[in-house]
Amino acid sequence: MATGGTHSQGVFGKVLFEPAGSPHTFDSASEAYEILSFDFKKYGRLGGHHGIRGVRGRLNDRVRELPAYFHGTLTMLVSPGDFITLLPKLMGGTVVVGTPVGSSTYSLGDVIPYFGMLVDLDYNSIEYKDCKIDRWVLRSRAPEFKEEGEPDMLYLSLSIIGSDEAVGTTVPAALIGTAATLDAPYTLADSTGQVTIVGAVRPISEFVLAGNNYLYAKYVNDLRPHSIMPRDREIAYACRVPWIAANLDLYNHATAGAVASHKFVNGTVSTLFTLTNLHLVPISPAIDRGKQEVTLELSGFSTATGLTDGTLEMQIVSDSTV
């Protein structure tokens, strides 16, 4: 929407998602998200004008349009309500509503779904068609004493690949949720006493949970990709714990791995990430932070113990009771 100013301003921007493949119908029910940054772009390509023809200049009769690439990253402070609509796009598997009671269970799947994005750029809009989430990263860190900023909010970054664009799509009046707990972003403190690794609750000072769908945009004889296909899947987890007696069992842990979980709770809503079989890569503690605390860095990946929901690398339970 035009603001009446002389230049477009990011503060008036808006990002909407519409599930499923094109054609996308954006309306008041489309998914609206509060974002921190969004650098998704079309990277167009022109070619054919570099040959030798007896003159030093390059002439316009040879210039041709080539297939464009569509990709970028969206970063946000993520809330329980955001997870409800985003998790199917991250995971790609089945969603079981009402199991457990009042909750929904999200499983991994082999097919990552398409969705559309509509970006309001203040004075105009761009619709990006047939997008998929390639990689996603959840992260947070406890603040240092007297540190400014808010590192302990829960940040979600989505690396997205798209297929096409349309300029000037009408931006509907879709609203971002304002429920007190459902739409308030999570913080690291929401996981107090809720991080379990190798059978015990662990205090952590920072963590990263990431998923990679290894998407590949396949181009054929067309200006747009023919499809966006997943080629692999990886679920990785890293965190930092105190180097104390209670955590000695985490160093050189069995190669076979063990279950781990990380849960966020805000009032009556929660989101539980269960890593079916977390393998911890041995990284020894060191005096690598000067006179500060010696910590143990845990870094690893999750594997499946079977081929059915609940035995794959990760499962997520979202309790959105308000």
Side-chain angles (χ1 to χ4, degrees), residues 9-301:
Q9 299 293 317
V11 68
F12 297 110
K14 182 185 297 184
V15 176
L16 306 179
F17 284 10
E18 184 62 34
S22 61
H24 308 293
T25 302
F26 290 91
D27 53 29
S28 59
S30 296
E31 303 164 6
Y33 297 101
E34 181 174 315
I35 65 169
L36 295 176
S37 63
F38 182 82
D39 66 6
F40 189 97
K41 297 176 183 178
K42 170 186 176 180
Y43 294 88
R45 302 167 60 236
L46 300 176
H49 57 290
H50 303 294
I52 299 171
R53 56 187 297 164
V55 296
R56 193 163 65 89
R58 299 179 180 183
L59 303 183
N60 67 354
D61 60 317
R62 303 285 294 182
V63 179
R64 296 298 309 277
E65 179 185 6
L66 298 174
Y69 306 141
F70 298 83
H71 59 89
T73 302
L74 181 152
T75 302
M76 64 194 307
L77 302 179
V78 66
S79 71
D82 295 327
F83 276 131
I84 291 172
T85 52
L86 287 175
L87 286 178
K89 303 175 184 64
L90 307 180
M91 306 278 284
T94 58
V95 181
V96 180
V97 179
T99 303
V101 176
S103 304
S104 294
T105 298
Y106 301 81
S107 298
L108 294 168
D110 289 334
V111 178
I112 303 300
Y114 284 106
F115 63 96
M117 294 190 300
L118 181 57
V119 185
D120 186 347
L121 297 167
D122 190 3
Y123 273 101
N124 205 341
S125 66
I126 300 179
E127 174 187 346
Y128 295 106
K129 302 179 180 182
D130 293 325
C131 303
K132 288 188 177 184
I133 293 175
D134 181 23
R135 300 183 306 276
W136 55 269
V137 179
L138 275 173
R139 60 180 174 85
S140 190
R141 174 179 63 82
E144 299 291 342
F145 181 55
K146 293 187 177 181
E147 178 182 0
E148 296 183 356
E150 43 190 38
D152 42 342
M153 297 301 297
L154 183 59
Y155 294 82
L156 173 64
S157 296
L158 305 175
S159 296
I160 303 168
I161 297 176
S163 302
D164 202 354
E165 70 169 0
V167 178
T169 301
T170 300
V171 179
L175 299 177
I176 297 174
T178 58
T181 54
L182 186 64
D183 297 305
Y186 280 129
T187 73
L188 184 62
D190 291 331
S191 62
T192 302
Q194 300 289 346
V195 179
T196 301
I197 305 174
V198 190
V201 174
R202 316 284 179 168
I204 64 171
S205 56
E206 60 182 307
F207 89 97
V208 175
L209 173 62
N212 192 338
N213 291 313
Y214 290 93
L215 295 184
Y216 176 73
K218 174 64 177 178
Y219 286 79
V220 291
N221 53 332
D222 197 341
L223 289 175
R224 304 295 176 255
H226 182 263
S227 61
I228 301 175
M229 305 172 294
R231 296 178 295 178
D232 199 352
R233 180 172 64 214
E234 182 179 17
I235 303 295
Y237 184 82
C239 67
R240 190 179 296 276
V241 300
W243 181 238
I244 55 177
N247 289 331
L248 294 183
D249 61 321
L250 295 176
Y251 181 53
N252 281 332
H253 186 262
T255 304
V259 67
S261 63
H262 195 141
K263 186 177 184 179
F264 295 88
V265 181
N266 182 15
T268 59
V269 300
S270 64
T271 307
L272 169 64
F273 300 84
T274 300
L275 303 175
T276 304
N277 200 41
L278 178 63
H279 303 262
L280 296 174
V281 179
I283 303 174
S284 59
I287 306 173
D288 56 357
R289 304 172 68 182
K291 296 182 179 181
Q292 298 185 61
E293 175 193 12
V294 176
T295 62
L296 178 63
E297 178 185 350
L298 302 179
S299 180
F301 54 91

